[in-house]
Amino acid sequence: MDSQCENGLAFHLVSAIFGVGGGDLFQSQIQNLENHYSFYTWLILIVFVDVAHVYSTLFKTYFIKDEFHKRKLLYLGIPAISLILGLIFYQLGSLFFWSGLALVAVFHFVRQQYGFMRLYARFEKKGFSKFWDGLAIYSATIFPMLYWIKTPRAFNWFVENEFSWTSSIPNYVPAITVIYFVILAIWILKTIYFFINEKSFNIPKNTIIVGTYLSWYFGIVYFNNDLIFTLLNVISHGIPYIALIYIREIEQKDNLSLKKLSIFKTSFGIFLFVLILLGFAFFEELMWEILVWREHFSIQNFEVSISWQQFLVPLLVVPQLTHYLLDGFIWRNQKK
């Protein structure tokens, strides 16, 4: 097992533990931070982590000349499909558009956690243990989202009331809560059993599962705070993804296969790698702010009309939706 990747994904567990502990001990300070320094928390956590991780995919796809030419139809088709779907969905209503995008984002987050887990269990044989690991990771992610949908939270994925269309569904929270803790209990007992009887304990795999349980449960269910949700879920999602891209697509490859991208293997290259991600992320969010949101940045006496937003919003969403959709293809050969 690759120790560098283990260290990179171990951040998932560390960030979850510190986030949970910090959230419990410093709730008032976190609320004060959110109230008085919302611009900086938005800039660092949303722009420089969440949005930046979207652009790290470039180093596995569009920036790799041979890879791009090999799958050109995929890499050109997905952005085109993203734009077309966005334009169609937005015509059906702004809330319909954002609700649909929120569901795609949730699916992406859930599948990424499953993908991380499978990546580190790819050499394990099929059977009870492997099945229950998959069930556990899905339980760790899907239950908090179902809880969120039926229980008003102080945070949104994209916009307010994005899950309001589910209000007519009967309350299922008590039933799924029992199922959630039963699955968790069986997974814990299963892990202890295999450790004692077979001396088997996959550290990075179990790190991902435990970290996911902690970050999703406490970030969504236990705490009802926007900043804590962002800290626990965005950081534990974005930073391990960026680390995985750098380690697997740059650090572990030789200079001959990297060609011009070999510059990123140097100390300066790491800085350049991060700088490029931050630059792309900041530019995208600047466009969102000026043209759509106008919450942190705006140009005086300049405002885009609603009629233009039906084209601009789907266009600005293309990088994010492309990342969501491409992720289902570019890691497929590593999931076994």
Side-chain angles (χ1 to χ4, degrees), residues 9 12-13 15-16 53 105-121 133-134 136-142 157 204-205 207-216 232-241 327 335:
L9 290 184
H12 184 94
L13 180 59
S15 63
H53 104 276
V106 169
F107 179 78
H108 164 72
F109 268 60
V110 170
R111 286 294 296 174
Q112 179 170 302
Q113 297 310 112
Y114 177 82
F116 278 155
M117 187 273 293
R118 292 299 332 134
L119 181 65
Y120 290 96
D133 288 337
I137 203 75
Y138 280 128
S139 170
T141 51
I142 293 174
W157 207 283
K205 178 196 72 176
T207 292
I208 288 297
I209 295 174
V210 173
T212 302
Y213 266 112
L214 289 174
S215 60
W216 284 65
L232 284 170
N233 289 275
V234 168
I235 289 182
S236 63
H237 174 88
I239 292 182
Y241 189 93
D327 226 42
K335 294 175 185 177

Side-chain angles (χ1 to χ4, degrees), residues 171-223:
N171 184 20
Y172 50 72
V173 172
I176 64 170
T177 301
V178 172
I179 296 171
Y180 173 81
F181 283 106
V182 167
I183 292 174
L184 174 58
I186 294 175
W187 180 80
I188 292 172
L189 292 174
K190 181 273 298 184
T191 304
I192 294 172
Y193 172 84
F194 277 90
F195 176 69
I196 294 174
N197 289 274
E198 299 188 12
K199 302 298 185 289
S200 172
F201 191 81
N202 187 327
I203 295 175
K205 178 196 72 176
N206 292 318
T207 292
I208 288 297
I209 295 174
V210 173
T212 302
Y213 266 112
L214 289 174
S215 60
W216 284 65
Y217 181 84
F218 284 93
I220 295 174
V221 178
Y222 185 80
F223 294 111

Side-chain angles (χ1 to χ4, degrees), residues 269-285:
I270 297 174
F271 171 77
L272 186 61
F273 172 79
V274 173
L275 191 64
I276 288 172
L277 299 187
L278 300 188
F280 273 116
F282 184 77
F283 178 76
E284 181 194 315
E285 283 303 305

Side-chain angles (χ1 to χ4, degrees), residues 115-323:
F116 278 155
M117 187 273 293
R118 292 299 332 134
L119 181 65
Y120 290 96
R122 63 191 183 277
F123 299 119
E124 295 182 357
K125 61 183 180 181
K126 291 182 179 180
F128 175 81
S129 180
K130 196 169 188 176
F131 166 78
W132 216 265
D133 288 337
L135 196 60
I137 203 75
Y138 280 128
S139 170
T141 51
I142 293 174
F143 166 77
M145 286 309 309
L146 291 176
Y147 183 92
W148 180 353
I149 287 172
K150 289 303 294 180
T151 307
R153 303 283 84 192
F155 42 82
N156 309 300
W157 207 283
F158 293 116
V159 297
E160 290 185 12
N161 301 317
E162 58 202 352
F163 297 127
S164 60
W165 53 273
T166 64
S167 59
S168 60
I169 300 175
N171 184 20
Y172 50 72
V173 172
I176 64 170
T177 301
V178 172
I179 296 171
Y180 173 81
F181 283 106
V182 167
I183 292 174
L184 174 58
I186 294 175
W187 180 80
I188 292 172
L189 292 174
K190 181 273 298 184
T191 304
I192 294 172
Y193 172 84
F194 277 90
F195 176 69
I196 294 174
N197 289 274
E198 299 188 12
K199 302 298 185 289
S200 172
F201 191 81
N202 187 327
I203 295 175
K205 178 196 72 176
N206 292 318
T207 292
I208 288 297
I209 295 174
V210 173
T212 302
Y213 266 112
L214 289 174
S215 60
W216 284 65
Y217 181 84
F218 284 93
I220 295 174
V221 178
Y222 185 80
F223 294 111
N224 190 18
N225 180 278
D226 188 23
L227 184 55
I228 295 177
F229 165 71
T230 305
L231 282 167
L232 284 170
N233 289 275
V234 168
I235 289 182
S236 63
H237 174 88
I239 292 182
Y241 189 93
I242 293 172
L244 187 64
I245 288 285
Y246 183 83
I247 291 168
R248 287 189 166 267
E249 305 305 321
I250 297 176
E251 188 171 343
Q252 291 183 347
K253 291 187 175 179
D254 56 61
N255 291 344
L256 185 63
S257 61
L258 283 172
K259 298 178 181 177
K260 292 181 180 179
L261 293 181
S262 61
I263 187 176
F264 293 103
K265 294 192 74 169
T266 64
S267 298
F268 172 74
I270 297 174
F271 171 77
L272 186 61
F273 172 79
V274 173
L275 191 64
I276 288 172
L277 299 187
L278 300 188
F280 273 116
F282 184 77
F283 178 76
E284 181 194 315
E285 283 303 305
L286 184 63
M287 293 300 98
W288 274 108
E289 286 295 316
I290 292 174
L291 300 175
V292 181
W293 302 130
R294 299 172 61 85
E295 293 176 352
H296 302 289
F297 294 102
S298 62
I299 298 176
Q300 193 172 9
N301 300 323
F302 175 79
E303 188 170 352
V304 177
S305 66
I306 298 296
S307 59
W308 272 103
Q309 286 195 12
Q310 64 183 319
F311 301 105
L312 285 172
V313 171
L315 181 62
L316 289 171
V317 160
V318 166
Q320 194 168 14
L321 188 52
T322 296
H323 167 72

Side-chain angles (χ1 to χ4, degrees), residues 4 21 57 64 77 94 120 142 164 196 203 295 332-334:
Q4 288 175 312
T57 311
I64 312 297
S94 174
Y120 290 96
I142 293 174
S164 60
I196 294 174
I203 295 175
E295 293 176 352
R332 185 169 292 174
N333 63 332
Q334 296 179 13

